[in-house]
Amino acid sequence: MIRFCSLGSGSSGNATVVEATSGITTTRLLIDAGFSLRELETRLGRAALAPEDLDAVFVTHEHSDHIGCAVALAARHDLPVWMSRGTWRALGEAVAPPRLRFARDGETIAVGDLEVRPFTVAHDAAEPLQLRCGDGDRGVGVLTDLGSITEHMLEQIAGCEALVLECNHDEAMLAASRYPPSLKARIGGRYGHLSNAIAAELLGHVSGSLCQLVAAHLSRENNRPALVREALASAWGSGPEDIVVADPVAGFAWLHAG
Ligand SMILES: [Zn+2]
Ligand SMILES: [Zn+2]
């Protein structure tokens, strides 16, 4: 059995917990820790978890809304922390949590009952990885930061039962925003963040296996949950209310894959 929840999602911080249970064993992976240590511990508590309940941390890339307290958390609670070599170099190689492990595109990592498969995405970080997490039966794709759809990424998430998918901005709202042109170009570019329209296009490539869809990493300034639901529902063929939208503060409560 596999389930997942978010401790918050948006440009102010991201953290997702994926949990696999097999018989009497349970494994929990924290994906990103984009909050202060105190805040993260508070948010874990909301999901009825403590840091001791985690088995490992995976950092997808070095942006502050993802790395957050990951290194301090891993050091304090003696957790293995996975990241790409590029992410580690971008942090400054002096940053060396005691149980640092390197992850690479396409190399499956076994974390207890979880199979974690990282894969490269188009995003403006040193070596960003996004993840597919499975328990050998069902799979969850976690795609919070990416600028465009690639064949490689589509191959990795094919057949997932659940997907956490970035819906960063509404293209018209971003165009009309007061952001400087350079920032608009960065966000909307191939290595920036997914718009609602491109997220909807991505759904068109994902097979019919998908049962649970969560929209994540919404911009406070340039998006609205209603616009996200409208865009994704028409692409997925569901009702707008079937789409869970992750909140920057509340995240989303536990959901089952499948
Ligand atoms: Zn990022
Ligand atoms: Zn981000």
Side-chain angles (χ1 to χ4, degrees):
M1 190 187 82
I2 190 161
R3 64 177 192 157
F4 57 105
C5 71
S6 165
L7 309 180
S9 181
S11 54
S12 54
N14 295 272
T16 309
V17 182
V18 180
E19 176 188 281
T21 303
S22 173
I24 57 164
T25 60
T26 298
T27 306
R28 294 183 194 93
L29 175 70
L30 178 69
I31 304 171
D32 293 326
F35 302 99
S36 69
L37 190 52
R38 193 169 166 183
E39 181 67 26
L40 188 91
E41 290 184 357
T42 302
R43 290 176 184 234
L44 279 171
R46 274 193 334 228
L49 295 174
E52 298 72 35
D53 297 320
L54 301 173
D55 294 280
V57 181
F58 194 104
V59 177
T60 60
H61 61 300
E62 69 274 19
H63 291 163
S64 60
D65 57 318
H66 298 266
I67 183 82
C69 68
V71 172
L73 177 81
R76 182 189 281 197
H77 298 285
D78 192 31
L79 293 166
V81 56
W82 295 84
M83 64 182 75
S84 68
R85 272 184 193 277
T87 297
W88 178 57
R89 287 200 190 103
L91 289 174
E93 295 179 14
V95 175
R99 298 175 66 192
L100 175 63
R101 311 271 193 273
F102 290 121
R104 289 173 60 156
D105 171 70
E107 283 188 5
T108 300
I109 300 163
V111 183
D113 297 320
L114 275 172
E115 288 168 15
V116 180
R117 197 194 308 160
F119 54 90
T120 301
V121 290
H123 187 56
D124 54 5
E127 189 185 348
L129 295 169
Q130 303 278 276
L131 300 177
R132 178 196 181 113
C133 299
D135 64 352
D137 182 25
R138 299 190 180 272
V140 182
V142 179
L143 285 171
T144 59
D145 290 61
L146 66 167
S148 44
I149 301 170
T150 60
E151 279 297 319
H152 179 62
M153 176 263 285
L154 291 175
E155 281 168 19
Q156 302 303 311
I157 60 168
C160 276
E161 280 77 13
L163 191 59
V164 178
L165 177 60
E166 169 163 52
C167 293
N168 179 260
H169 58 276
D170 172 77
E171 290 175 6
M173 284 184 77
L174 178 65
S177 76
R178 281 186 238 169
Y179 283 11
S182 59
L183 184 57
K184 288 182 186 179
R186 198 219 123 210
I187 293 170
R190 274 183 52 73
Y191 295 90
H193 290 280
L194 277 196
S195 66
N196 298 344
I198 299 179
E201 185 188 333
L202 186 151
L203 281 181
H205 295 280
V206 177
S207 78
S209 59
L210 198 61
C211 322
Q212 189 66 258
L213 177 60
V214 182
H217 214 307
L218 273 68
S219 164
R220 273 185 205 269
E221 292 78 17
N222 301 317
N223 214 349
R224 297 287 174 267
L227 294 173
V228 171
R229 288 198 168 95
E230 185 186 330
L232 296 192
S234 59
W236 192 32
S238 71
E241 69 285 353
D242 297 324
I243 291 152
V244 176
V245 178
D247 184 80
V249 177
F252 57 85
W254 290 108
L255 296 169
H256 288 267

